[in-house]
Amino acid sequence: MTQDPGAALAAIEAERSRQRAAWRQSGQHRGRNLVEVLHERLADREDTVLRFLATGHEGEITIGRLYEEGARTATALTEIGVRPGARIALHVPNWPEAMSALYAALLLRAVVVPIPSIYGPAEVRFILDDARVDTYVLADRWRSQVYTDSLPQVTGAAALERVIVVGDTVPPGTLAWSEVAERARRVEPMPLAARHIDSQSNCFVIYTSGSTANPKGGQHSHDTFAAEFAQNRAALAQPGRYLQAFPGGHVAGLLGMLRPLLFGHETIVMDHWDADLAATVTDELGVTAIVGAPFYLATLLDAADRLGKSLRTIEDMLVGSAAVPPALVERAEAAGFRPYRCYGSTEHPTVSSNVPADSLEDRSRTDGALLAGVEVKIVDEDGRSIPAGGAGEILTRGPDQFIGYTDARASAAVFTPGGWFRTGDVGFLTPGGRLVISDRKKDVIIRGGENLSSQEIEGILVRHPAVSQAAVVGLPDERYGERACAVVVLRPGRDLSLATVREHFVAAGVARQKTPEMLVVRPELPRTAAGKVKKFLLREQIGAF
């Protein structure tokens, strides 16, 4: 007899509620919200400088001044109708305005919905509806993208009440951020209302492109984010000058934006990864630590070689968000600094991590030791535990794990009895207790640190009138880690070129990174008896050419 999905989810949630109570009792959930945590040692770091490197948004600001501006912005937002507890989407790159808006939103007890900078109108509209966003803050443009051109496609979202534009181009019916900032200069800062914010309440909805066509909204509470920082305190609290380039729309970027506020690091903030600029500012400003994807590390080393930069001040680099080749870690070690691997996801930000003091063998060939309070179980296809050393799907539990997706059905699909989260990744635990990620079960392509859903790309491809069937696989790419290859079966009498595919994806309004970079036309797709495409076989066949 099949169990009712609602009853199954209720049982899982009851178990997770017991886990949260246990984490509270053990002190891993401290019962303190992020506003309280941010202010615990503000006096010690209010003179710390943040330096922003972005054309038109460059400059320096101290943490103390940032807090002051954010508190005034919170008051100004209430004056234009933003209510406490609002749902505020931030579609703004790593600019000072984004930092100010983020802190203001936390003071307002809002649920913050960061949107990746690369997302196009199709993804944005889905997120605004799914997260029930009432206040949408966006940049007018970023690099080659003009966000305001897409506003007619997104402003019909059901709960949306106001749109605030950061930049010079402010379409009719929207409000300029400069007007909010001017109002903020005339009002009193919003007083701390920390005692009114429940630490178990939802504070972030962070979207991730997983194995489903639409991005999934992972909800985090104040407790889960505070636990993430507490677990990583030993590594993240080290003094130094940091370079932050992870985009704020991702969990790693959001953590990177909050990191200097929590630990008082002098930080250089980039609004996109530019390896040449990173190598230059590292030597000129004495950067000591970086957090980034393998793509960042590989291109930084290439840029240093090409430009003659020494990178001599870098002490360490935390590398994650995609598979990290051991040879890349070894290359950086030879360049004079100590990179180290970690493993996590939007849903469970840090499961395991090495530290700079670990051996090169561990830092290059494992994804580190489990963080305090984190549990991992390795299981086979039937959910049975696999003995130590055996590879299987990785299940995790821990105090920094998300509280569930916006879609309860998606939550029911990823949590097992006992409250374990199915990561979709395959790996094993070494005899010493270190985690090693050996494969991905999810059908995801990771390009330059961005997760791209094969299913979503396939769905766009088959909407083209020439395409009958489509499968998308990730192929190794020296620069970006992976690139998307489209394998298609055409309708009779039709043809298709890669240029035509590019035009089709532009018209679909999605991030250009989702556009396939390689096209293969086949008379048929290899399938299992059940009709599933044998993607492993496609990868082998295409990779052999």
Side-chain angles (χ1 to χ4, degrees), residues 34-231:
L34 283 178
V35 173
E36 293 176 293
V37 172
L38 287 170
H39 280 263
E40 280 179 343
R41 293 182 55 209
L42 175 59
D44 299 335
R45 52 183 180 261
E46 60 182 357
D47 294 329
T48 301
V49 173
L50 307 182
R51 181 178 300 192
F52 291 84
L53 305 179
T55 303
H57 299 268
E58 56 276 285
E60 296 183 358
I61 187 171
T62 65
I63 289 177
R65 184 179 157 212
L66 177 66
Y67 275 53
E68 172 79 9
E69 287 187 3
R72 291 180 183 276
T73 299
T75 301
L77 288 172
T78 62
E79 290 191 353
I80 64 171
V82 181
R83 298 175 297 276
R87 303 179 80 85
I88 302 175
L90 300 180
H91 194 189
V92 183
N94 295 346
W95 295 346
E97 296 90 341
M99 295 283 280
S100 179
L102 173 60
Y103 178 62
L106 290 174
L107 280 178
L108 281 168
R109 309 194 299 279
V111 176
V112 179
V113 184
I115 300 179
S117 299
I118 68 165
Y119 274 11
E123 296 110 331
V124 172
R125 174 58 189 268
F126 173 81
I127 289 172
L128 296 181
D129 273 324
D130 186 65
R132 306 186 308 282
V133 167
D134 55 75
T135 302
Y136 176 35
V137 183
L138 74 154
D140 63 342
R141 62 182 63 235
W142 176 69
R143 306 183 74 193
S144 64
Q145 299 187 77
V146 182
Y147 296 141
T148 50
D149 285 351
S150 303
L151 277 176
Q153 298 167 254
V154 305
T155 49
L160 192 62
E161 297 177 10
R162 65 191 61 81
V163 176
I164 303 173
V165 179
V166 180
D168 299 325
T169 305
V170 183
T174 67
L175 181 67
W177 178 265
S178 58
E179 186 175 328
V180 175
E182 177 58 35
R183 183 186 292 265
R185 284 188 280 271
R186 301 193 304 264
V187 300
E188 292 297 316
M190 177 169 285
L192 294 180
R195 63 184 181 276
H196 301 304
I197 307 174
D198 180 3
S199 68
Q200 297 187 62
S201 64
N202 180 205
C203 63
F204 295 118
V205 182
I206 309 169
Y207 282 80
T208 177
S209 293
S211 55
T212 57
N214 287 317
K216 293 184 291 188
Q219 302 174 102
H220 276 275
S221 69
H222 293 265
D223 274 332
T224 64
F225 248 61
E228 166 70 12
F229 283 111
Q231 289 169 305

Side-chain angles (χ1 to χ4, degrees), residues 404-472:
Y405 294 117
T406 52
D407 183 346
R409 294 168 299 179
S411 295
V414 297
F415 284 108
T416 73
W420 293 93
F421 171 64
R422 301 175 64 99
T423 66
D425 292 317
V426 175
F428 60 91
L429 288 166
T430 69
R434 291 180 177 272
L435 185 63
V436 179
I437 311 304
S438 56
D439 204 350
R440 268 200 325 278
K441 195 171 182 179
K442 296 176 184 175
D443 196 9
V444 174
I445 298 163
I446 303 181
R447 182 190 186 277
E450 297 282 353
N451 285 2
L452 308 179
S453 166
S454 295
Q455 184 177 333
E456 179 187 12
I457 299 171
E458 290 162 358
I460 296 169
L461 279 168
V462 297
R463 292 203 297 268
H464 191 283
V467 177
S468 172
Q469 304 168 45
V472 175

Side-chain angles (χ1 to χ4, degrees), residues 41-42 44-52 61-64 66-67 99 229 232-244 255-269 287-291 316 340:
R41 293 182 55 209
L42 175 59
D44 299 335
R45 52 183 180 261
E46 60 182 357
D47 294 329
T48 301
V49 173
L50 307 182
R51 181 178 300 192
F52 291 84
I61 187 171
T62 65
I63 289 177
L66 177 66
Y67 275 53
M99 295 283 280
F229 283 111
N232 281 287
R233 181 173 293 277
L236 298 184
Q238 297 300 314
R241 181 172 291 170
Y242 287 74
L243 180 64
Q244 149 62 8
L255 291 166
M257 291 174 70
L258 290 169
R259 182 176 177 175
L261 306 186
L262 283 161
F263 299 121
H265 300 137
E266 185 177 346
T267 303
I268 299 158
V269 184
V287 171
T288 62
I290 306 175
V291 177
D316 58 72
Y340 56 104

